[in-house]
Amino acid sequence: MLAGLPDASGSWHFPSVLGSVPPLPVNGAYIGYQIVNLILGILAMWLAAKAVVPKETATFGNVLKAWVCNFALGIGIVVVGVVLLMFAMKMHDAMRSWLMLIGFGGMVLGLVLLIPMKVYSIEAPRAFGLLLLTFCIHFAILFIGLLAVVSFVGRDRVMAVVGQQQFMAMVQSRIAQVQHAQPGQP
């Protein structure tokens, strides 16, 4: 059985490790990274729009409009998704829960494609290409930036700023505690 999925009886199970791990620390470096990430996402969408969308609609204003709509959609997805997940957990019927969640996923996919279609007046394949190219450009910029920061500052200092070493140490100690308490399971 996979963690976080309903079993045959319709009950939902989540690993106990997740409940005891504190979130990553939110410090100035983390907030700065998120701001840079948002700006790079907008620039990646602008570059992708220049390549995929007709020139008269590939303006920076349309990119900002599409980004704001996507941002609002993301917040709406989280809110509606949490409500639907709570509703699905109360159903005690795995098949209906899965159908509801799959339908929600299809609706989200349709809305994600609809935003660039409406903003840029393009068809669905171009909208999909725009989103895929935006993701690839954004990932490439982030990866190159991460390599530059790590080579300039050093890996240990970057990990200390992000807090990943402390986080991973807490996760590993909690996993060891759970495995020690349940010796018969892997």
Side-chain angles (χ1 to χ4, degrees):
M1 176 181 57
L2 296 173
L5 300 178
D7 61 8
S9 69
S11 300
W12 292 73
H13 298 279
F14 296 95
S16 61
V17 174
L18 294 178
S20 62
V21 177
L24 285 172
V26 177
N27 53 22
Y30 178 78
I31 293 171
Y33 169 77
Q34 292 302 322
I35 291 171
V36 169
N37 190 19
L38 293 175
I39 292 169
L40 290 177
I42 294 170
L43 292 176
M45 185 177 270
W46 185 55
L47 290 174
K50 291 287 187 189
V52 176
V53 177
K55 292 186 185 214
E56 59 272 0
T57 58
T59 64
F60 196 72
N62 280 345
V63 169
L64 285 177
K65 190 186 321 178
W67 183 85
V68 167
C69 289
N70 282 327
F71 191 77
L73 178 65
I75 292 171
I77 287 170
V78 170
V79 171
V80 173
V82 166
V83 170
L84 282 178
L85 186 61
M86 290 186 326
F87 184 70
M89 290 173 60
K90 290 185 180 224
M91 281 181 156
H92 300 295
D93 184 6
M95 185 61 158
R96 285 186 186 174
S97 298
W98 278 112
L99 286 175
M100 187 173 63
L101 293 175
I102 289 171
F104 179 67
M107 183 191 70
V108 166
L109 180 63
L111 289 174
V112 165
L113 283 175
L114 188 64
I115 289 172
M117 288 173 62
K118 291 294 183 181
V119 170
Y120 298 111
S121 300
I122 57 176
E123 59 277 353
R126 277 191 176 208
F128 181 75
L130 173 72
L131 294 172
L132 185 64
L133 187 58
T134 298
F135 174 77
C136 291
I137 292 171
H138 192 179
F139 180 76
I141 292 171
L142 285 177
F143 184 72
I144 292 168
L146 179 66
L147 289 178
V149 167
V150 168
S151 66
F152 181 72
V153 176
R155 180 184 175 274
D156 294 334
R157 179 144 182 204
V158 169
M159 292 300 187
V161 167
V162 173
Q164 187 172 356
Q165 289 176 336
Q166 294 87 356
F167 178 74
M168 290 307 295
M170 287 185 286
V171 170
Q172 289 172 350
S173 68
R174 181 62 184 147
I175 289 173
Q177 289 174 353
V178 170
Q179 287 177 345
H180 181 65
Q182 301 170 353
Q185 296 192 7

